[in-house]
Amino acid sequence: MSDQPVAVLVPGRIHPRILERLGQTFEVVPVPMGPVTEIGADVRARIKGVAISGALDNGWIDTLPNLEIVSNFGVGYDGVDTKKAVEHGIIVTHTPDVLNDEVADTTIALLLNTVRQFPRAENYLREGRWKKDGPFPLTPLSLKGRKVGILGLGRIGMEIAKRLEPFKVEIGYHTRSRREGLDYTYYSSLKEMAEAVDTLISVVPGTAATHKIFTSEIFSALGPNGVFINVGRGTSVDEDALITALKNNTIAAAGLDVFYDEPNVPDGFLDLPNASLLPHVASASVPTRNAMADLVVDNLIGWFREKKVITPVPETPVKG
Ligand code: NAP
Ligand code: 8YV
């Protein structure tokens, strides 16, 4: 690296370990999340990297003349416009694999919470109702004997499938490209899968192709015994259609870790007894978030020391 320290822009809040580690090597330039704010031309010229958790405003890409790399906190990088980054010759990195186990574990927990209503049962105990009203009511749903269809059998989807095997449920999946050498049933479309299974788990990225693909038609196909779990992105779901499907018992229950416009969770979900809701916590343990934070920083250090990154996104491939 040259004598002049490289500056790294950090819009909005980010994991504290990232700020601490960046500060040991780079000049850190914190700015508010959102549209471009005024910063001196000299600082702007020194900014060659961005560390981001959430959405990066495209104005930064337009106005930082020497930007080389955007390091995204999260495996999903729907907050970064990769098309624009490619046009500007900017590398984008993300944090795959280090969170697979945590997210898959959370998915199983959310599935069980949804079918067996454990959060409601715990509240029942805490409210003193066990003593006052007797045992918590039996849950109409069970995981036993379910047919599960996973939308997205990538790094995390595979870990979810492996964890489902000992639960003795049937496992199938839909992806655009069929995966070879697996015993799981392949469905050629989401609709076909929804018709065939009674439990849908979504773990696809938030892209134009996955935008609002969970429609009223898909929920009708899933049917009245149907359970829908989403740990991918909330943008994949028509939330009005889901709320209606849960209210009308078109499907039986849903477990959601992600929402269309976080942290704004539609009121319609909050009163539903058949929805189990989490505030986007699938990867949110200290060890896993530390590993993600380290990867954000190590990608930046690798780039500025050796022009190598560890985990580029497929749209901006760079030799590791
Ligand atoms: P990945 O390895 O890239 O897997 C993505 C899977 O989705 C692939 O199997 C891919 O297969 C499939 N897919 C993509 N677009 C599709 C489409 N239009 N229709 C059907 N299948 C499609 O990604 P990952 O590491 O498993 O992460 C997946 C996503 O989970 C992330 O992008 C992120 O949005 C989300 N996530 C959420 C949390 C959380 O905290 N809740 C944590 C981590 C990740 P094909 O390309 O063959 O279709
Ligand atoms: C993070 C995630 O919570 O990795 C992802 O794609 O959704 C989560 O692990 C998020 O990206 C950080 O805010």
Side-chain angles (χ1 to χ4, degrees):
M1 287 191 234
S2 76
D3 294 348
Q4 185 78 294
V6 168
V8 173
L9 187 86
V10 182
R13 288 216 300 228
I14 205 156
H15 193 291
R17 189 180 179 102
I18 296 178
L19 292 176
E20 188 193 314
R21 282 198 58 207
L22 284 180
Q24 292 163 9
T25 309
F26 303 104
E27 175 186 349
V28 178
V29 183
V31 292
M33 184 60 99
V36 172
T37 49
E38 193 61 36
I39 43 175
D42 52 332
V43 181
R44 220 151 25 91
R46 281 205 303 283
I47 295 173
K48 296 185 177 176
V50 170
I52 184 79
S53 176
L56 177 67
D57 190 276
N58 269 346
W60 288 114
I61 296 184
D62 286 327
T63 57
L64 295 173
N66 299 315
L67 186 58
E68 295 175 17
I69 178 169
V70 173
S71 186
N72 181 68
F73 181 73
V75 62
Y77 49 95
D78 41 298
V80 181
D81 185 342
T82 48
K83 191 164 170 277
K84 193 165 181 81
V86 169
E87 282 162 15
H88 285 71
I90 293 164
I91 298 148
V92 179
T93 64
H94 64 149
T95 62
D97 291 319
V98 293
L99 42 53
N100 292 352
D101 289 330
E102 205 73 72
V103 177
D105 291 349
T106 309
T107 308
I108 300 299
L110 182 56
L111 175 61
L112 285 167
N113 281 351
T114 306
V115 295
R116 297 296 322 286
Q117 303 182 359
F118 294 129
R120 292 184 73 205
E122 181 167 350
N123 283 342
Y124 187 88
L125 177 153
R126 288 177 187 277
E127 288 161 5
R129 294 188 56 197
W130 187 13
K131 207 168 163 184
K132 193 161 83 74
D133 300 332
F136 183 72
L138 307 185
T139 60
L141 304 178
S142 166
L143 189 58
K144 206 170 152 52
R146 282 195 167 264
K147 278 182 91 168
V148 182
I150 304 173
L151 183 74
L153 202 68
R155 289 169 292 242
I156 299 170
M158 268 306 294
E159 289 300 328
I160 295 171
K162 283 191 224 160
R163 280 160 177 73
L164 283 171
E165 286 183 23
F167 286 94
K168 299 182 275 188
V169 293
E170 284 184 43
I171 302 170
Y173 72 101
H174 169 64
T175 49
R176 291 162 302 179
S177 348
R178 184 182 188 146
R179 296 192 54 156
E180 297 303 323
L182 293 177
D183 287 339
Y184 309 136
T185 308
Y186 177 72
Y187 298 102
S188 59
S189 71
L190 172 58
K191 175 84 184 299
E192 191 198 329
M193 183 161 76
E195 280 164 351
V197 304
D198 56 28
T199 307
L200 275 181
I201 298 178
S202 180
V203 61
V204 280
T207 62
T210 62
H211 188 255
K212 291 196 178 180
I213 50 176
F214 288 93
T215 56
S216 51
E217 190 190 19
I218 296 296
F219 297 128
S220 295
L222 185 58
N225 190 34
V227 172
F228 172 60
I229 303 295
N230 191 8
V231 293
R233 281 289 179 266
T235 50
S236 301
V237 178
D238 177 340
E239 290 186 330
D240 290 337
L242 177 55
I243 290 166
T244 304
L246 288 166
K247 261 191 192 147
N248 298 347
N249 300 314
T250 305
I251 66 169
L256 310 172
D257 183 51
V258 287
F259 298 88
Y260 193 93
D261 177 28
E262 296 173 3
N264 302 307
V265 178
D267 285 345
F269 282 127
L270 302 180
D271 298 330
L272 286 171
N274 51 353
S276 187
L277 310 172
L278 295 176
H280 202 145
V281 293
S283 68
S285 73
V286 169
T288 295
R289 287 286 171 86
N290 280 347
M292 291 164 64
D294 281 339
L295 199 41
V296 168
V297 178
D298 291 339
N299 272 309
L300 289 165
I301 289 177
W303 179 251
F304 290 113
R305 282 206 181 132
E306 302 175 64
K307 291 283 175 267
K308 284 181 180 169
V309 292
I310 306 162
T311 47
V313 302
E315 293 90 333
T316 65
V318 179
K319 274 207 177 114

